[in-house]
C-alpha cells in the first residue's frame, strides 16, 4: 500500500523528466567534446579548420534531416525504440572515431553514423517527449529536462579536456561511446514511455473540458485536438517561416560558439585547459538560461524571451569585434552560454501554442531541422573564413548582423493560436 501511495503522489511525468535529463547530460558531453578535440585532431593530421568544420557540417546536415524522420517515428511509434536505435548509431560512431586515420573515416564515423544517432537522443526529442507529459508546469518541466544538456556540458567538457590532454582525444571518444551505450539503453528500456494517453494516464495537471463550455476554443493541451495543425497547414502561416529564420540563425550562433570558442581563445595565448573551462562555464550558464526560460514562457509567452536572447547576442558579437582578450572571452562564454538553450524549451511550447500538440513531433522536427542546418553551416563557414583571412573578425561582424535579423523576424511572429478548420487566430493569454 505504501508503495502504491508513493507512486500516486509522484506523477510519472517526473520520471520522464529525470530520464530525459540523464540522456541529454551524456549527449551534450559527447557533442561539445568536438570543440575540445578540434585542435588536437588538427595537430595530429595537419588538416585546416575548414576541413574539420566540414565534418561537423556534414554531421549537422544529416542530424538535421534525421530530425524529420525521428519526429515522424516518434509520432507513430513512441520514443523508446527511437532512443535505443539512435543510441546504437551514436555510440558506434564515437567508438569508431577513436580509430580514424583519414578524413574519409572521420566523415563516415562522426559525420554520418554519429549524426543519425544524435537526432534521437538530443534536445528536440527530449523536449517534445517531456512536453506531452505536462499541461501544468509544462515550461518548467521541459526546462528541467533540457537542463541535463547544460549539466553535461559543464561537468563533462572539463573531464574530456583532461582526458584529451593526458590520454589523447582517441581515448575520450572511445569512453564517450561506451558510456552512452549503457546509460541510454537502460533508460529507454526501463523508464522512457511515450504519450501518456497510451498508458491510461493523463498529462500532469490536465483538466477535462467542463460541460457547458461553448467549444469554440479548443484548450491548449497536450491531449490533442482534431483542430490541431499538421506540417502542411502550419507552413501556410507566416509565423512558421519567421520562426524558422530565427531558429536557423540561432543554431548558427550556438554551434559557432561551442565549436570555435576553444580554438579562438587558444589563438590569443589562453591555455587549452582554461579555454575548456570557459566552455564548461558556458554550459553552466546555459543551465541558468534554460531554467528561467520555461517558467517565463508560462507567464508571458515565448516571444519576449527569444527577442531578448538575440538582442544580447548582438551586443556580445559587437564586443568581440572590439575586444579579444581573456576577460572578453569569459564574458562572451558566460553571457552567450546563458542564451544557448533558451529556445530549446520554448520551441515545443511556442509551436504547441500556435498549432496544437497533436503533430508536435513533426512540427518541432522541421523547425529543429532548420536550426541544426544553421548549426552546421555557420561553424563550417567560420572555419573557411578563418583559413582564408587568418582571423574570426569577419565572422563576428556577420554574426552580429544575423542576430539583429533574428530580432526583427521574431518581432514579426504573432503568438496566436491557429486552427486546422481555417486559419482562425486568437491571442494566447498564457
Amino acid at each position: 500500500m505504501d508503495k502504491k501511495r508513493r507512486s500516486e503522489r509522484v506523477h510519472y511525468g517526473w520520471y520522464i523528466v529525470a530520464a530525459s535529463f540523464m540522456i541529454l547530460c551524456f549527449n551534450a558531453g559527447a557533442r561539445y567534446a568536438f570543440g575540445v578535440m578540434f585542435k588536437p585532431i588538427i595537430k595530429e593530421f595537419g588538416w585546416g579548420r575548414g576541413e574539420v568544420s566540414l565534418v561537423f557540417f556534414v554531421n549537422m546536415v544529416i542530424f538535421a534531416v534525421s530530425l524529420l524522420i525521428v519526429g515522424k517515428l516518434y509520432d507513430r511509434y513512441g520514443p523508446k525504440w527511437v532512443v535505443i536505435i539512435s543510441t546504437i548509431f551514436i555510440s558506434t560512431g564515437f567508438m569508431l572515431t577513436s580509430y580514424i586515420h583519414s578524413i574519409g573515416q572521420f566523415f563516415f564515423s562522426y559525420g554520418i553514423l554519429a549524426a543519425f544517432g544524435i537526432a534521437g537522443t538530443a534536445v528536440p526529442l527530449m523536449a517534445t517527449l517531456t512536453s506531452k507529459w505536462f499541461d501544468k508546469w509544462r515550461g518548467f518541466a521541459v526546462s528541467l529536462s533540457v537542463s541535463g544538456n547544460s549539466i553535461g556540458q559543464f561537468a563533462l567538457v572539463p573531464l574530456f579536456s583532461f582526458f584529451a590532454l593526458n590520454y589523447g582525444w582517441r581515448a575520450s571518444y572511445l569512453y564517450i561511446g561506451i558510456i552512452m551505450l549503457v546509460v541510454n539503453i537502460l533508460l529507454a528500456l526501463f523508464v522512457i514511455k511515450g504519450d501518456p494517453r497510451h498508458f491510461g494516464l493523463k498529462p500532469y495537471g490536465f483538466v477535462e473540458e467542463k460541460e457547458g463550455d461553448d467549444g469554440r476554443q479548443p484548450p491548449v493541451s497536450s491531449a490533442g485536438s482534431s483542430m490541431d495543425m499538421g506540417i502542411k497547414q502550419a507552413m501556410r502561416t507566416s509565423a512558421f517561416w519567421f520562426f524558422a529564420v530565427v531558429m536557423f540563425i540561432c543554431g548558427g550562433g550556438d554551434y559557432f560558439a561551442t565549436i570555435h570558442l576553444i580554438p579562438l581563445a587558444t589563438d590569443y595565448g589562453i591555455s587549452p585547459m582554461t579555454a575548456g573551462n570557459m566552455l564548461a562555464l558556458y554550459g553552466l550558464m546555459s543551465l541558468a538560461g534554460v531554467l528561467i526560460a520555461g517558467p517565463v514562457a508560462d507567464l508571458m509567452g515565448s516571444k519576449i524571451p527569444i527577442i531578448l536572447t538575440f538582442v544580447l547576442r548582438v551586443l556580445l558579437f559587437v564586443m568581440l569585434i572590439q575586444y579579444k582578450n581573456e576577460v572578453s572571452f569569459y564574458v562572451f562564454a558566460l553571457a552567450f552560454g546563458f542564451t544557448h538553450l533558451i529556445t530549446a524549451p520554448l520551441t515545443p511550447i511556442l509551436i504547441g501554442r500556435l498549432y496544437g500538440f497533436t503533430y508536435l513531433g513533426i512540427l518541432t522536427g522541421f523547425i529543429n531541422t532548420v536550426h541544426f542546418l544553421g548549426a552546421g553551416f555557420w561553424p563550417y563557414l567560420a572555419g573557411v573564413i578563418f583559413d582564408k583571412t587568418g582571423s574570426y573578425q569577419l565572422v563576428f561582424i556577420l554574426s552580429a548582423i544575423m542576430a539583429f535579423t533574428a530580432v526583427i523576424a521574431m518581432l514579426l511572429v504573432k503568438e496566436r493560436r491557429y486552427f486546422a478548420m481555417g486559419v482562425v487566430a486568437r491571442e494566447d493569454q498564457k
Side-chain angles (χ1 to χ4, degrees):
M1 282 295 291
D2 289 342
K3 184 177 181 181
K4 183 179 180 181
R5 288 173 181 172
R6 285 196 300 270
S7 65
E8 289 174 347
R9 285 199 300 267
V10 180
H11 189 275
Y12 198 84
W14 298 112
Y15 293 104
I16 297 297
V17 169
S20 299
F21 178 97
M22 289 298 298
I23 289 173
L24 289 176
C25 183
F26 289 105
N27 182 284
R31 298 186 71 189
Y32 297 129
F34 193 90
V36 174
M37 316 302 180
F38 197 95
K39 275 194 170 179
I41 290 174
I42 288 175
K43 182 178 180 181
E44 178 171 336
F45 293 104
W47 299 328
R49 294 191 189 188
E51 289 178 279
V52 176
S53 297
L54 182 58
V55 175
F56 186 78
F57 183 23
V58 170
N59 177 282
M60 285 288 102
V61 169
I62 293 175
F63 164 60
V65 173
S66 297
L67 285 173
L68 290 173
I69 301 172
V70 166
K72 288 183 178 180
L73 293 176
Y74 171 85
D75 286 339
R76 181 170 295 182
Y77 301 110
K80 178 176 290 187
W81 288 104
V82 171
V83 171
I84 290 174
I85 294 171
S86 297
T87 295
I88 292 172
F89 271 102
I90 190 174
S91 297
T92 301
F94 281 132
M95 287 187 278
L96 287 178
T97 297
S98 69
Y99 292 99
I100 65 168
H101 293 286
S102 69
I103 192 71
Q105 292 174 339
F106 196 18
F107 272 110
F108 176 71
S109 62
Y110 189 90
I112 298 176
L113 283 184
F116 280 122
I118 290 172
T121 58
V123 167
L125 180 69
M126 296 299 110
T128 300
L129 169 64
T130 303
S131 69
K132 286 208 169 188
W133 279 88
F134 290 83
D135 266 16
K136 183 181 180 182
W137 294 355
R138 180 182 292 123
F140 174 72
V142 174
S143 291
L144 196 60
S145 66
V146 171
S147 68
N149 192 87
S150 307
I151 294 297
Q153 185 177 349
F154 175 67
L156 297 181
V157 165
L159 182 61
F160 293 148
S161 296
F162 174 81
F163 262 86
L165 291 172
N166 291 278
Y167 302 103
W169 61 270
R170 295 180 183 275
S172 297
Y173 270 123
L174 178 62
Y175 291 130
I176 293 170
I178 294 172
I179 291 170
M180 291 187 72
L181 182 66
V182 174
V183 173
N184 287 9
I185 289 183
L186 287 175
L187 289 172
L189 288 174
F190 298 107
V191 182
I192 294 293
K193 297 181 186 292
D195 195 315
R197 294 172 296 165
H198 298 163
F199 300 93
L201 301 172
K202 296 177 182 177
Y204 180 82
F206 176 70
V207 179
E208 297 284 357
E209 191 175 4
K210 296 179 181 179
E211 291 185 10
D213 288 350
D214 58 22
R216 288 177 297 177
Q217 304 289 357
V220 181
S221 167
S222 58
S225 168
S226 62
M227 296 183 72
D228 290 350
M229 277 191 171
I231 185 72
K232 291 182 180 179
Q233 293 166 315
M235 284 181 171
R236 297 192 188 107
T237 67
S238 60
F240 190 81
W241 293 109
F242 284 131
F243 189 55
V245 169
V246 171
M247 292 301 287
F248 182 87
I249 294 170
C250 178
D254 288 348
Y255 284 88
F256 164 70
T258 56
I259 298 305
H260 289 277
L261 177 60
I262 292 177
L264 167 65
T266 53
D267 285 344
Y268 287 85
I270 295 169
S271 72
M273 200 67 201
T274 299
N277 289 336
M278 288 179 181
L279 188 57
L281 290 172
Y282 179 110
L284 183 63
M285 290 303 296
S286 71
L287 171 63
V290 77
L291 289 178
I292 290 173
V296 168
D298 288 337
L299 293 174
M300 63 178 64
S302 302
K303 185 172 178 175
I304 293 175
I306 295 175
I307 290 172
L308 293 177
T309 289
F310 288 99
V311 169
L312 178 57
R313 289 188 177 191
V314 171
L315 298 176
L316 290 171
F317 283 121
V318 169
M319 177 193 70
L320 287 184
I321 292 170
Q322 298 294 324
Y323 306 103
K324 300 173 187 66
N325 51 50
E326 186 169 347
V327 173
S328 65
F329 295 144
Y330 264 116
V331 171
F332 179 82
L334 293 171
F336 204 97
F338 180 82
T339 71
H340 181 86
L341 281 177
I342 283 179
T343 59
L346 299 189
T347 294
I349 294 170
L350 178 61
I351 294 298
R353 287 178 173 174
L354 292 175
Y355 308 112
F357 288 85
T358 301
Y359 306 102
L360 189 61
I362 185 61
L363 289 170
T364 58
F366 181 89
I367 290 294
N368 283 298
T369 294
V370 173
H371 177 273
F372 289 109
L373 286 174
F377 173 74
W378 190 233
Y380 162 64
L381 192 57
V384 172
I385 291 172
F386 180 90
D387 288 341
K388 297 291 185 181
T389 66
S391 132
Y392 287 106
Q393 188 73 355
L394 179 58
V395 178
F396 299 147
I397 294 171
L398 294 176
S399 294
I401 293 171
M402 289 192 298
F404 181 75
T405 302
V407 172
I408 302 302
M410 198 63 212
L411 285 170
L412 295 173
V413 173
K414 296 181 179 180
E415 198 166 354
R416 298 175 176 178
R417 179 67 161 96
Y418 293 84
F419 302 129
M421 301 297 291
V423 186
V424 182
R426 67 175 175 83
E427 292 291 343
D428 193 284
Q429 298 301 317
K430 283 197 173 185

